[in-house]
Amino acid sequence: MNYHGLYPKTRLRRLRQHKTLRNLVKQTRLEPGDFVLPLFIRHGKNIKNAIASMPGHFQLSVDQLENEIRDLTALGIRSVMLFGIPEHKDPEGKDSYSENGIIQSAIPLIKQTAPELLIFSDVCFCEYTDHGHCGVLTQHAHGMDVDNDKTLALLAMQAVSHARSGADVIAPSGMIDGMVQAIRHALDEAGYKHIPVLSYSVKYSSSMYGPFRDAAEGTPKFGDRRTHQMDFANVSEAIRECALDIAEGADMLMVKPAHTYLDVIAKVKQAYPALPLGAYHTSGEFAMIKAAAQKGWLDERSAAIEILTSIRRAGADFIITYFAKEAAAWLNEN
């Protein structure tokens, strides 16, 4: 079929004249069920601390979760991702795998409030360690760094602990070599063969995480995370990371950040079309839109929906985003 007519016979504007017709031929659709809302849960009672760099978001104590869960499910949001802030931190982040840890306490309450809500449990150590790094530290020739293999054993313990508490999906985020294999083996051995692993397979060392580190209180006390997170200049490496995670047993893949990495999302989806792909629209990407909107430099609603749609258009099957509640409300209005 020849699609290449000439003006005036071919007029593409004909399909843009009516709102209903535009919606009818829309190629990429966005709905509240596409979103995963991150939640920051901290130790304590009656806590709802506003996060200054992330307007509309809070650190919540477990007793404050019920109202939040009811609000987001009423909007049609069906998934959350949990991040914990413990009472005490230590070099190994022991609260992350304690049966009485903050996430282990939050999951049962969420399940009681909304049994059908899907819980993604972030598995890492930066929020739990007193040094703010993503695992156990060891001395190397170039200074202190994360000990990859010692960290794997603790990641496995954390994953099993979260699964035992009722998490539906385990989401390791540290970019530690072999993390998917270690977690998959531990889950299977503990009787959780049915629980899928969403790997942060392609997580870049990015400047777009700043507000998150304030929210989760996981800023490194020294150094950075460039020895385990990817260089933002690289794209072929993303495909290699995904291949390794798939071989180790990953059920879903993720690209983080999202709207500044649309090319990576597209390449990963083209390489592995059969695997569900998530994209994490990060705190920095969220904060940029919020700040520009507060200045009156752009329309927040239009910009957010456009960017979230572009992430889906690039190939993401679902989006972890701090705009989840607002975007769901806007979509429901339409």
Side-chain angles (χ1 to χ4, degrees):
M1 184 178 292
N2 180 16
Y3 291 99
H4 306 291
L6 296 175
Y7 174 86
K9 182 179 179 181
T10 300
R11 294 175 181 262
L12 293 182
R13 290 184 59 193
R14 290 175 184 144
L15 298 179
R16 304 169 189 159
Q17 298 304 305
H18 193 287
K19 180 179 180 180
T20 301
L21 181 56
R22 291 195 298 272
N23 287 333
L24 188 67
V25 300
K26 188 187 295 289
Q27 295 177 335
T28 303
R29 300 186 181 276
L30 203 61
E31 60 181 42
D34 297 331
F35 305 138
V36 181
L37 177 67
L39 294 176
F40 299 97
I41 307 168
R42 71 168 306 129
H43 179 85
K45 293 185 178 180
N46 198 31
I47 295 172
K48 188 176 182 179
N49 295 339
I51 302 168
S53 56
M54 298 171 64
H57 289 269
F58 304 86
Q59 294 177 337
L60 300 169
S61 52
V62 172
D63 60 310
Q64 296 294 303
L65 279 175
E66 183 174 348
N67 289 337
E68 179 71 10
I69 297 303
R70 294 193 189 281
D71 287 347
L72 65 91
T73 53
L75 289 167
I77 297 169
R78 299 193 290 267
S79 307
V80 293
M81 180 169 281
L82 305 186
F83 299 92
I85 306 162
E87 181 180 16
H88 301 294
K89 302 189 179 192
D90 60 78
E92 292 188 354
K94 292 178 181 177
D95 190 274
S96 69
Y97 52 85
S98 166
E99 297 307 310
N100 299 313
I102 185 65
I103 295 301
Q104 292 84 344
S105 301
I107 292 173
L109 185 143
I110 294 172
K111 283 296 184 183
Q112 181 180 350
T113 305
E116 298 303 314
L117 191 70
L118 189 73
I119 297 178
F120 291 83
S121 183
D122 179 83
V123 172
C124 193
F125 288 98
C126 55
E127 305 106 295
Y128 301 95
T129 54
D130 54 11
H131 45 72
H133 283 279
C134 298
V136 181
L137 295 182
T138 190
Q139 183 70 44
H140 289 278
H142 56 271
M144 296 296 288
D145 196 8
V146 173
D147 187 309
N148 193 95
D149 295 359
K150 288 183 179 179
T151 299
L152 292 178
L154 298 183
L155 283 171
M157 292 171 61
Q158 185 181 160
V160 170
S161 175
H162 289 197
R164 188 177 295 120
S165 298
D168 298 298
V169 182
I170 299 300
S173 61
M175 292 293 287
I176 305 300
D177 289 343
M179 65 184 186
V180 173
Q181 178 175 286
I183 287 171
R184 182 72 272 159
H185 177 74
L187 289 173
D188 291 353
E189 287 291 303
Y192 299 106
K193 295 180 180 179
H194 62 288
I195 292 186
V197 174
L198 163 64
S199 178
Y200 287 64
S201 300
V202 184
K203 183 177 180 181
Y204 285 91
S205 181
S206 171
S207 60
M208 298 293 162
Y209 306 149
F212 172 90
R213 290 175 180 173
D214 292 338
E217 299 182 10
T219 303
K221 301 297 184 187
F222 60 89
D224 53 42
R225 295 175 181 152
R226 296 182 185 180
T227 64
H228 46 104
Q229 294 178 355
M230 285 179 55
D231 187 329
F232 59 75
N234 296 351
V235 63
S236 58
E237 184 183 357
I239 306 303
R240 189 178 184 191
E241 285 279 6
C242 290
L244 289 169
D245 281 358
I246 293 168
E248 291 177 15
D251 301 283
M252 295 181 276
L253 306 172
M254 188 200 298
V255 173
K256 180 182 182 181
H259 95 240
T260 45
Y261 290 77
L262 297 178
D263 62 318
V264 181
I265 294 171
K267 287 182 183 296
V268 170
K269 192 61 179 178
Q270 289 165 7
Y272 305 106
L275 268 75
L277 176 62
Y280 200 134
H281 189 234
T282 61
S283 59
E285 294 170 310
F286 168 83
M288 287 192 298
I289 300 169
K290 282 286 185 181
Q294 289 173 357
K295 289 283 189 180
W297 293 342
L298 52 74
D299 179 79
E300 179 181 347
R301 176 173 177 163
S302 298
I305 292 297
E306 179 180 347
I307 288 167
L308 293 172
T309 301
S310 75
I311 295 168
R312 287 279 284 126
R313 188 188 66 231
D317 298 297
F318 57 95
I319 306 170
I320 301 118
T321 176
Y322 300 97
F323 271 116
K325 289 173 69 175
E326 290 161 300
W330 296 329
L331 293 170
N332 289 335
E333 287 177 12
N334 289 335

